[in-house]
Amino acid sequence: METISTREVLPEGFLGDRDDITGQIGLIWEQIKAPFFVPILKLAVLICLGMSIMLFIERVYMGIVITLLKLFGRKPEKRYKWETIKDDVELGSSVYPMVLVQIPMYNEKEVYQLSIGAACGLSWPSDRIIIQVLDDSTDSTIKELVAMECKRWASKGINIKYEIRDNRNGYKAGALKEGMKHNYVKNCDYVAIFDADFQPEPDFLWRSVPFLMHNPQLALVQARWKFGTAGVWRISAINEAGGWKDRTTVEDMDLAVRASLKGWKFLYLGSLQVKNELPSTFKAYRFQQHRWSCGPANLFRKMVLEIIRNEKVSLWKKVHVIYSFFTIRKVIAHVVTFAFYCIVLPATVLAPEVVVPKWGAVYIPSIITLLNAVGTPRSLHLLVFWILFENVMSLHRTKATLIGLMEGVRVNEWVVTEKLGDALKFKSAAKGSKKPRFRFGERLHILELGVGAYLLFCGWYNLLFGKNHFFIYLFFQAFAFFVAGFGYVGTFVPGS
C-alpha cells in the first residue's frame, strides 16, 4: 500500500523533528483528522446550513409580511372597533369598566417610586381603578419604603393596595396569581400589568381599554416598550386560559400561548409606547437573556404535545406556533448563530477539504443581518459592533436554550434584572463619588475567554496557513469575546 508522507499532509509550520512537541502534535492531528474530524465537521456544516436556510426563509417571510402591513395594512383603529368612552349623566362613572393595575416588584429600591407614581398618575376615574402593588421584597428596609409610598398615595385619594406574601413561590407569576385572588379583583374587568421599571403615560388606559370594551374576541392589547412590550389583559381570558402559571420563567408567554389555544386574539398597538429601563449592567443583561432564552425553550418542551392535540385551533395555526414561533425563533435562531459562526465555521480553517458554500457563509447571514437592521436605521453605523456583540451573546442564549429543552439545573433560575432608575442621574451630579472597587476575579467570564481563545487560535492558523482572509473576522470576533470575558462590557459608572 502506498503511504502518504507527513510533508504531503501537514503544513510546513508543523514539520520538524518528530521527537519535538510540535511534530508529535502534528502526527496525532494527521491520524485523527481524516477519519474523525473531517466527517464530523462536514456533518456539522450540513446541519448548520440547513438551520441557516430555515432561519433565512423565516426572516424573509416576516420581512415581506411586515412590509405589506406597513404599505397596505389598516390601522388598529380601523381594523377593530374603537371609540372614546362617553360620559353618561345618569350612569356616572359606572360607564367606565373597572381596571386593576398590577405592579409586581422585588427589592426595587431605585425604581419603586417611579413605577408607583406613574401608575397612580394614570388618567381614569378614581373609583374605577385599583392600583395593586405586589411586593415580594426580602429587604425589610425596602419593604417599609414601598409601604410608606403606597400610604402616601392613598392619603391623596388613590385606591392603592399594598399586598405582600410570606414566600416567593412562583416568583413573578406566583405574585400575579396571588394578587388575582383578592376579593376586590372580582369587580374588575381588565388588568394592566407593569414591571417595576415601567412608566406608562397618563393616557395609557384611555388608548388601550376601548379596544377590549368594543371587541370581545380580544384577550390582550399589547403596547410597545421604548425598548420592548406591555399590555392590558381581559381578566375573563386569563381565567379561561387557566390563570398564571409558574412552570417557566416566561409566565406572560405561557399565558398568551394558552389563551391563543382557547381561540382568543391579541392586538399589538405599536403607537402606544411605555417607558422602561434597559439592564443596567452586562451581568444583569446576561441573566435577562438567559431567562428570555431558557424560558421559551422550556415552554416549548412542556406545550408541544398540548398544541398538537388541541382541537380548537386550525392546523395552520399549530404549524405556525410550533415551527415558526418556537422552533425557528426561540431555538434555531439562537443555536445556529453560535454553533455556525463561532464554532463550526472557524473550525473549517483547520480542515481546508471541508468547503462551506459562499451563499451559506456570506450571503445568507448578510441578508438576515440587514433584515434585522432595517427596523433601526438610525443605528446602522453600529452594525459591525452589533454583530460581534450578538455573536458573544449567542453563547449564553444557546446555553440557555439547551438548558430549557433538557430541563437542566438552571431551567427555573430567576434573577431579577438589576435596575438603577434615577440613581445614575444623581450619581453623575454628585461630586467626589468614589471609584468602584475593582475585583478582577468577579469580572472574569470563563466561557467567553475559552471561546475567544479558540477563535484566536483559528485566526492565527488561517493567517499562517490559509489562502483567504477569514482571519480578519476571527480576530475581531475573538477580541469581542475577550472584551466580554475580561468584564469590560457595561462597566462605565458616571462620576467615577
Side-chain angles (χ1 to χ4, degrees):
M1 175 183 287
E2 183 180 354
T3 59
I4 302 177
S5 68
T6 304
R7 187 172 298 275
E8 293 174 346
V9 176
L10 300 177
E12 292 181 4
F14 279 157
L15 296 178
D17 188 351
R18 292 195 177 195
D19 293 331
D20 63 25
I21 296 177
T22 304
Q24 292 298 323
I25 293 175
L27 287 174
I28 294 173
W29 175 242
E30 175 190 348
Q31 293 173 359
I32 67 173
K33 180 180 175 183
F36 297 105
F37 183 76
V38 171
I40 293 175
L41 186 57
K42 285 183 177 179
L43 178 61
V45 168
L46 288 175
I47 293 173
C48 289
L49 288 175
M51 290 193 294
S52 296
I53 292 172
M54 295 168 68
L55 182 61
F56 173 74
I57 293 173
E58 172 67 16
R59 286 288 189 268
V60 171
Y61 166 74
M62 288 302 300
I64 293 173
V65 170
I66 292 172
T67 301
L68 291 177
L69 285 175
K70 286 187 176 182
L71 291 176
F72 306 107
R74 293 183 298 168
K75 293 183 178 181
E77 292 81 1
K78 294 183 179 180
R79 286 192 294 124
Y80 293 94
K81 185 179 179 181
W82 188 94
E83 58 184 45
T84 57
I85 304 173
K86 298 178 181 178
D87 293 329
D88 190 295
V89 178
E90 295 182 359
L91 296 177
S93 62
S94 62
V95 72
Y96 295 86
M98 197 75 178
V99 178
L100 175 70
V101 178
Q102 290 185 316
I103 311 174
M105 58 176 58
Y106 172 73
N107 293 338
E108 308 286 0
K109 182 179 179 181
E110 306 293 353
V111 296
Y112 75 93
Q113 286 182 309
L114 294 175
S115 57
I116 294 175
C120 292
L122 288 170
S123 176
W124 200 254
S126 59
D127 61 333
R128 306 302 290 172
I129 186 172
I130 301 174
I131 310 297
Q132 188 185 65
V133 178
L134 303 170
D135 189 12
D136 272 359
S137 298
T138 53
D139 187 311
S140 58
T141 302
I142 297 176
K143 241 180 181 179
E144 185 177 347
L145 289 172
V146 176
M148 289 177 61
E149 183 70 8
C150 291
K151 289 180 181 178
R152 188 173 74 85
W153 282 103
S155 66
K156 296 181 178 182
I158 301 297
N159 188 2
I160 186 169
K161 309 289 184 181
Y162 177 69
E163 307 291 358
I164 60 175
R165 304 187 289 165
D166 57 4
N167 59 69
R168 286 194 68 216
N169 294 341
Y171 303 108
K172 179 181 172 183
L176 294 173
K177 185 177 181 179
E178 195 68 25
M180 299 296 289
K181 294 180 179 179
H182 296 281
N183 288 329
Y184 56 81
V185 177
K186 296 177 182 178
N187 300 319
C188 299
D189 303 292
Y190 311 113
V191 55
I193 303 166
F194 302 108
D195 284 343
D197 59 324
F198 279 56
Q199 301 167 49
E201 296 295 333
D203 64 349
F204 178 86
L205 296 177
W206 290 100
R207 297 174 63 185
S208 57
V209 170
F211 282 105
L212 293 169
M213 289 180 61
H214 301 301
N215 302 277
Q217 75 275 27
L218 289 178
L220 168 70
V221 174
Q222 183 174 339
R224 178 185 179 184
W225 300 355
K226 288 296 178 68
F227 313 101
T229 53
V232 185
W233 275 92
R234 186 186 302 274
I235 292 180
S236 60
I238 294 178
N239 295 333
E240 185 181 342
W244 294 102
K245 293 186 178 181
D246 57 7
R247 56 182 177 175
T248 70
T249 56
V250 283
E251 71 292 325
D252 48 357
M253 184 183 295
D254 187 352
L255 178 60
V257 173
R258 285 185 281 115
S260 68
L261 294 179
K262 294 290 184 180
W264 288 98
K265 295 183 179 181
F266 308 94
L267 171 62
Y268 174 67
L269 205 58
S271 60
L272 182 58
Q273 299 183 350
V274 179
K275 294 179 182 178
N276 79 306
E277 184 178 317
L278 287 171
S280 55
T281 64
F282 181 53
K283 180 180 179 181
Y285 183 69
R286 286 176 60 189
F287 279 125
Q288 182 195 68
Q289 293 302 302
H290 174 87
R291 188 170 73 246
W292 287 0
S293 301
C294 180
N298 190 238
L299 180 63
F300 180 39
R301 173 191 171 110
K302 284 180 164 63
M303 290 202 69
V304 61
L305 292 180
E306 181 181 343
I307 296 171
I308 293 173
R309 294 169 182 164
N310 188 280
E311 298 179 355
K312 291 188 176 181
V313 297
S314 65
L315 177 61
W316 167 247
K317 188 169 186 177
K318 292 180 183 180
V319 171
H320 174 75
V321 173
I322 293 175
Y323 176 79
S324 181
F325 182 75
F326 278 116
T327 304
I328 302 297
R329 302 182 202 174
K330 307 303 180 184
V331 178
I332 286 180
H334 302 322
V335 174
V336 73
T337 302
F338 177 68
F340 194 26
Y341 306 115
C342 299
I343 300 295
V344 175
L345 206 55
T348 59
V349 304
L350 306 176
E353 55 266 59
V354 179
V355 179
V356 180
K358 188 175 290 187
W359 58 263
V362 179
Y363 300 147
I364 282 184
S366 298
I367 294 174
I368 291 176
T369 300
L370 290 174
L371 288 173
N372 289 333
V374 165
T376 55
R378 290 180 297 179
S379 302
L380 284 177
H381 62 290
L382 300 173
L383 188 60
V384 174
F385 300 99
W386 176 74
I387 293 172
L388 297 175
F389 180 72
E390 282 296 293
N391 285 346
V392 172
M393 290 310 303
S394 70
L395 162 64
H396 298 286
R397 293 180 183 129
T398 298
K399 182 182 68 172
T401 299
L402 296 178
I403 290 174
L405 290 174
M406 298 185 292
E407 290 203 326
V409 177
R410 294 179 59 196
V411 66
N412 286 320
E413 180 184 64
W414 186 285
V415 178
V416 177
T417 304
E418 184 180 342
K419 307 174 185 73
L420 294 179
D422 285 336
L424 282 180
K425 193 183 298 181
F426 298 134
K427 285 181 181 178
S428 61
K431 294 182 180 180
S433 56
K434 296 182 179 180
K435 192 171 183 177
R437 186 177 179 183
F438 178 79
R439 294 182 179 179
F440 189 73
E442 292 181 359
R443 287 174 52 176
L444 285 181
H445 305 299
I446 303 301
L447 287 177
E448 284 94 334
L449 292 176
V451 177
Y454 165 73
L455 291 170
L456 185 63
F457 168 75
C458 293
W460 277 112
Y461 190 97
N462 182 255
L463 177 62
L464 295 173
F465 312 118
K467 297 180 180 179
N468 53 43
H469 296 87
F470 189 40
F471 62 85
I472 297 176
Y473 160 75
L474 292 173
F475 284 153
F476 273 113
Q477 191 62 69
F479 177 74
F481 271 99
F482 282 131
V483 169
F486 284 111
Y488 284 100
V489 176
T491 57
F492 172 74
V493 179
S496 60

